[in-house]
């Protein structure tokens, strides 16, 4: 069918464009996580706020994100993925402007909550949209691409923070994010809604129309519509299933645990407080701290490629274990150095090397892999509910980490703060060995069957 072929290449372009725009949501997620690190010292100075209030400048966003993640299951069903993403984009624009113009710290808190809602909606809806719209063969790499966009967003924020730091212009640091947010709003406006959502609302004509635009041939589009119709026969019964079914509760528990593990590695302590950590490592001037932070962001982007290469070859479990070992070592050695004192330039370099080692450990493992695993382990019937629980946990745990770091430094001292995180990473090695399944090259149906048969969690990826 020559006509179909021509159709094919233009459809691929549309698919790419669609995925690219949805991934822009990941970029904004990253920008908003990253921006606060560089802005915080200047905000603290201008508003003369305590360590505790600084923690809340960081964490109010995570609070909003947890609420946004819980609400967006409902939102993305009622409004559709497209209009949910648009709601998220509008909140991004409003939150960025409000935080840039905040006259006092209270308004800043409120605008950070708004931004959080936006990030929560984006972090739930964008991967969902990507997985529903991307052709089957590239679905897996889409999730890693999303994580990559998050890390690029964080790096972008660090770079812009650094550029503005020379004049201390924190309002510009926060305000500049309005531009990509507007870009996302315009982009999403032109996106089609997800064919799966149309079908779930029994709008099969619309579903078919979108699939015809996105797939290589009309035969492929028809086949996919049939598959969607089939899978919709499985009704989502999240809460009821959770109450009745012990095996489903185990999957939800695993998703929640995985996200707690990801956050309590301590990664976001570095993401939010990097300049502060450089200060603890003996770099007293702002320029050094800011450029150090940029190097952290760059390392995070580059090491994510290691995960993309390893995840389908080595598998999830060994990669995660290696990551936790690297992270425990990095945090442990940093703590010890803080204990003995970082005096010479050589010791300072070494401390930075340990910090970067930790980042590599996270980016090559827990960063992307936890998201991958969380999307693989839930049975179809309870998928929306299970993923809502794990995504909300990501943000709640994230908030706890962000809201306690400075207090930990003040009460436990620098060394013990890092040792606590090193200890947690050691515990995660044991938990991974005991509870995390290997899901490499295993179909989602197989995982579901094993789970529902009551096999131990660590064996639900077994092919036998
Ligand atoms: C985590 C974020 C973290 C980011 C760092 C993500 O997977 O969920 O909390 O800031 O990775 O790259």
């Amino acid at each position: 069918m020559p006509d179909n072929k021509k159709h094919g290449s233009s459809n691929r372009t549309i698919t790419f464009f669609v995925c690219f725009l949805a991934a822009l949501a990941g970029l904004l997620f990253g920008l908003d996580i990253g921006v606060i690190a560089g802005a915080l010292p200047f905000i603290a100075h201008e508003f003369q706020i305590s360590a505790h209030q600084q923690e809340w400048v960081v964490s109010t966003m995570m609070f909003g994100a947890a609420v946004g993640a819980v609400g967006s299951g409902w939102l993305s069903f009622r409004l559709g993925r497209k209009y949910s993403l648009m709601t998220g984009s509008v909140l991004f624009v409003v939150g960025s402007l409000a935080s840039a113009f905040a006259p006092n710290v209270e308004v800043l808190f409120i605008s950070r909550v708004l931004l959080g809602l936006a990030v929560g909606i984006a972090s739930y809806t964008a991967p969902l949209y990507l997985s529903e719209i991307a052709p089957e063969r590239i679905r897996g790499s889409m999730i890693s691409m999303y994580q990559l966009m998050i890390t690029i967003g964080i790096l972008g924020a660090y770079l812009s923070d650094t550029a503005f730091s020379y004049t201390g212009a924190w309002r510009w640091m926060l305000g500049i994010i309005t531009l990509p947010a507007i870009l996302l709003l315009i982009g999403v406006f032109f996106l089609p809604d997800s064919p799966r959502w149309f079908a779930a609302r029994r709008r099969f004509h619309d579903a078919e129309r979108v699939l015809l635009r996105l797939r290589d041939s009309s035969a492929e589009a028809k086949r996919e519509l049939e598959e969607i119709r089939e899978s919709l026969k499985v009704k989502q019964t999240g809460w009821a299933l959770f109450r009745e079914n012990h095996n489903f509760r185990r999957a939800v528990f695993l998703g929640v645990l995985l996200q707690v593990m990801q956050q309590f590695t301590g990664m976001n302590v570095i993401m939010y407080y990097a300049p502060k950590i450089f200060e603890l490592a003996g770099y007293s001037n702002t320029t050094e701290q800011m450029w150090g932070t940029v190097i952290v962001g760059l390392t995070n982007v580059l090491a994510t490629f290691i995960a993309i290469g390893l995840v389908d070859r080595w598998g999830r479990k060994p990669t995660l274990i290696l990551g936790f070992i690297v992270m425990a070592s990095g945090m442990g050695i940093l703590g010890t150095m803080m204990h003995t004192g970082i005096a010479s330039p050589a010791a300072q370099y070494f401390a930075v090397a340990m910090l970067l080692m930790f980042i590599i450990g996270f980016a090559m493992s827990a960063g992307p892999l936890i998201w991958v695993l969380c999307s693989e382990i839930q049975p179809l019937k309870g998928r929306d509910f299970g993923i809502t629980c794990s995504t909300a946990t990501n943000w709640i745990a994230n908030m706890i980490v962000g809201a306690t770091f400075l207090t930990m430094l003040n009460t436990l001292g620098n060394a013990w703060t890092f040792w606590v995180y090193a200890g947690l990473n050691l515990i995660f090695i044991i938990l991974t060995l005991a509870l995390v399944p290997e899901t490499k090259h295993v179909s989602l149906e197989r995982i579901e069957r094993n789970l529902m048969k009551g096999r131990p969690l660590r064996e639900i990826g077994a092919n036998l």
Side-chain angles (χ1 to χ4, degrees), residues 29 33 147 150-151 154 259 262-263 267-268 271-272 300 304 362-363 366-368 371 394-395 398:
F29 175 164
I33 284 192
Q147 171 71 17
I150 296 177
T151 60
I154 296 175
Q259 290 289 8
Q262 189 204 51
Q263 291 302 314
M267 173 63 167
N268 282 323
M271 293 294 102
Y272 305 141
N300 190 22
T304 303
F362 180 89
W371 292 107
N394 174 281
W395 290 110
N398 194 329

Side-chain angles (χ1 to χ4, degrees), residues 84-96 118 181 184-185:
S84 249
L85 276 174
M86 281 185 76
T87 311
S89 322
V90 171
L91 285 169
F92 267 127
V93 175
V94 175
S96 308
L184 180 71
L185 184 62

Side-chain angles (χ1 to χ4, degrees), residues 76-77 80-81 132-133 192-211 221-235:
S76 69
F77 183 71
R81 290 33 170 156
E132 289 182 347
I133 211 141
D193 217 315
S194 134
R196 179 166 254 285
W197 179 75
F198 276 131
R201 314 280 311 197
R202 311 203 63 73
R203 290 168 60 181
F204 297 109
H205 267 313
D206 289 318
E208 186 169 355
R209 181 178 47 80
V210 176
L211 281 170
K222 288 234 154 56
R223 186 182 51 78
E224 196 167 328
L225 186 62
E226 251 338 286
E227 276 173 21
I228 293 178
R229 273 174 185 268
E230 264 315 297
S231 73
L232 283 175
K233 289 189 184 146
V234 184
K235 289 269 166 293

Side-chain angles (χ1 to χ4, degrees), residues 35-85:
V35 74
I36 206 64
L40 193 60
F42 299 107
I43 294 174
H45 183 73
E46 179 165 336
F47 291 142
Q48 291 297 309
I49 50 179
S50 67
H52 205 55
Q53 284 171 312
Q54 288 181 52
E55 289 174 333
W56 279 104
V57 171
V58 172
S59 309
T60 35
M61 187 186 101
M62 283 78 229
F63 168 75
V67 176
V70 172
S72 52
W74 176 83
L75 198 70
S76 69
F77 183 71
R78 302 291 315 180
L79 299 184
R81 290 33 170 156
K82 171 178 168 150
Y83 291 101
S84 249
L85 276 174

Side-chain angles (χ1 to χ4, degrees), residues 337-352:
M337 294 186 75
M338 304 239 171
H339 183 67
T340 51
I342 305 173
S344 66
Q348 282 183 322
Y349 284 133
F350 191 69
V352 174

Side-chain angles (χ1 to χ4, degrees), residues 33-310:
I33 284 192
V35 74
I36 206 64
L40 193 60
F42 299 107
I43 294 174
H45 183 73
E46 179 165 336
F47 291 142
Q48 291 297 309
I49 50 179
S50 67
H52 205 55
Q53 284 171 312
Q54 288 181 52
E55 289 174 333
W56 279 104
V57 171
V58 172
S59 309
T60 35
M61 187 186 101
M62 283 78 229
F63 168 75
V67 176
V70 172
S72 52
W74 176 83
L75 198 70
S76 69
F77 183 71
R78 302 291 315 180
L79 299 184
R81 290 33 170 156
K82 171 178 168 150
Y83 291 101
S84 249
L85 276 174
M86 281 185 76
T87 311
S89 322
V90 171
L91 285 169
F92 267 127
V93 175
V94 175
S96 308
L97 287 175
S99 56
F101 288 106
N104 53 41
V105 74
E106 287 77 18
V107 175
L108 189 60
F109 285 157
I110 296 170
S111 44
R112 295 276 297 162
V113 173
L114 290 180
L115 274 177
L117 287 172
V119 175
I121 294 174
S123 68
Y124 179 89
T125 316
L128 184 70
Y129 183 80
L130 285 176
S131 72
E132 289 182 347
I133 211 141
E136 224 163 71
R137 56 185 183 283
I138 57 168
R139 209 168 280 167
S141 48
M142 277 294 134
I143 299 188
S144 309
M145 159 141 152
Y146 180 67
Q147 171 71 17
L148 192 65
M149 295 303 287
I150 296 177
T151 60
I152 292 175
I154 296 175
L155 174 64
Y158 287 170
L159 279 168
S160 111
D161 279 3
T162 304
F164 288 119
S165 70
Y166 293 97
T167 50
W170 65 267
R171 292 180 188 277
W172 276 100
M173 296 179 189
L174 302 183
I176 195 88
I177 298 183
T178 314
L179 293 181
I182 291 176
L183 203 68
L184 180 71
L185 184 62
I186 299 173
V188 175
F189 179 77
F190 291 104
L191 288 184
D193 217 315
S194 134
R196 179 166 254 285
W197 179 75
F198 276 131
R201 314 280 311 197
R202 311 203 63 73
R203 290 168 60 181
F204 297 109
H205 267 313
D206 289 318
E208 186 169 355
R209 181 178 47 80
V210 176
L211 281 170
L212 283 171
R213 270 176 67 197
L214 294 175
R215 297 298 176 251
D216 285 351
S217 66
S218 41
E220 201 180 326
K222 288 234 154 56
R223 186 182 51 78
E224 196 167 328
L225 186 62
E226 251 338 286
E227 276 173 21
I228 293 178
R229 273 174 185 268
E230 264 315 297
S231 73
L232 283 175
K233 289 189 184 146
V234 184
K235 289 269 166 293
Q236 286 286 325
T237 53
W239 175 237
L241 191 66
F242 184 81
R243 265 193 331 222
E244 285 156 18
N245 191 306
H246 167 68
N247 287 322
F248 178 50
R249 282 201 293 275
R250 293 190 308 142
V252 174
F253 159 78
L254 183 58
V256 165
L257 177 75
L258 284 168
Q259 290 289 8
V260 167
M261 284 166 40
Q262 189 204 51
Q263 291 302 314
F264 281 92
T265 55
M267 173 63 167
N268 282 323
V269 157
I270 298 170
M271 293 294 102
Y272 305 141
Y273 298 105
K276 171 89 194 164
I277 296 175
F278 279 101
E279 189 190 320
L280 297 179
Y283 291 91
S284 54
N285 89 48
T286 316
T287 311
E288 284 172 340
Q289 291 168 15
M290 298 303 280
W291 280 107
T293 306
V294 169
I295 295 172
V296 163
L298 186 64
T299 309
N300 190 22
V301 174
L302 295 179
T304 303
F305 286 100
I306 307 180
I308 296 173
L310 286 185

